[in-house]
Amino acid sequence: MLRSPPECWRLLWSAVDDLLAEQPSPWEICTQNADGSLCMPYARYSDAVERVKQALFQVNSRVRFDWPNWDGIQRYQGGRGLADAPVADVCRMLTVITHAERFHDGTIGRALDDGTFLTALLRLRKWYDDIADIHAKHIHAPPGQSWISQRVSDLRTFQAVRRD
């Protein structure tokens, strides 16, 4: 996730803010097409939810693991304990929710309704806020201004002085 530039994180937080501001629920189950004909039920989400899903992908929050068998689904049910969970578990939970949506329409909606999705997003935001300055300064600094670039420059200066 740290490889993702700060701009991607800003897009995520903007989408999360929009999602938090939405009332009523940002999703619905649709059973009719626009022309009034019946269709198989499917979940339709607000633009904010769709932007959050896309931004989570852009910041590389998805992790590879055996998500269908992960015990955190029960451990953090309803978002309980997720606000203080390790960020790795938060990423696992977000991965479970977004992956499960592909197989079961409405998974994200149910996670929104019970608080799991927003709790996970807010915990991820707390983690990022704690490291945002370091992230911008040392990982995504302009060329030549990162911590490592400065240390390499100092080393070269030291080597040059020593040779003279």
Side-chain angles (χ1 to χ4, degrees), residues 76-98:
Y76 299 119
Q77 191 171 16
R80 185 181 66 250
L82 202 52
D84 299 316
V87 76
D89 278 357
V90 170
C91 291
R92 287 183 191 104
M93 181 59 78
L94 291 168
T95 299
V96 166
I97 293 169
T98 55

Side-chain angles (χ1 to χ4, degrees), residues 23-163:
Q23 294 298 326
S25 182
W27 79 292
E28 63 183 346
I29 295 289
C30 298
T31 56
Q32 288 186 345
N33 294 317
D35 64 2
S37 62
L38 297 176
C39 65
M40 292 295 292
Y42 67 95
R44 181 172 32 194
Y45 297 102
S46 69
D47 290 339
V49 174
E50 295 298 335
R51 287 179 27 236
V52 167
K53 285 172 33 182
Q54 182 179 16
L56 285 170
F57 180 75
Q58 291 175 341
V59 299
N60 298 310
S61 69
R62 295 182 186 182
V63 293
R64 289 183 179 220
F65 71 108
D66 184 17
W67 63 271
N69 297 315
W70 182 53
D71 70 332
I73 297 167
Q74 288 80 32
R75 190 173 356 127
Y76 299 119
Q77 191 171 16
R80 185 181 66 250
L82 202 52
D84 299 316
V87 76
D89 278 357
V90 170
C91 291
R92 287 183 191 104
M93 181 59 78
L94 291 168
T95 299
V96 166
I97 293 169
T98 55
H99 276 30
E101 179 70 28
R102 297 171 64 195
F103 303 100
H104 306 283
D105 277 349
T107 300
I108 293 174
R110 287 185 291 281
L112 282 163
D113 290 346
D114 75 7
T116 303
F117 195 63
L118 289 174
T119 302
L121 290 170
L122 294 174
R123 173 62 181 104
L124 186 62
R125 182 181 229 165
K126 182 179 180 296
W127 170 80
Y128 185 75
D129 287 348
D130 289 345
I131 61 112
D133 291 337
I134 295 167
H135 182 247
K137 184 176 179 183
H138 298 298
I139 297 173
H140 289 283
Q145 294 181 13
S146 70
W147 180 86
I148 192 71
S149 296
Q150 292 172 359
R151 298 299 81 76
V152 168
S153 177
D154 292 346
L155 178 62
R156 287 184 180 151
T157 302
F158 175 75
Q159 288 173 333
V161 168
R162 194 170 162 151
R163 271 184 288 197

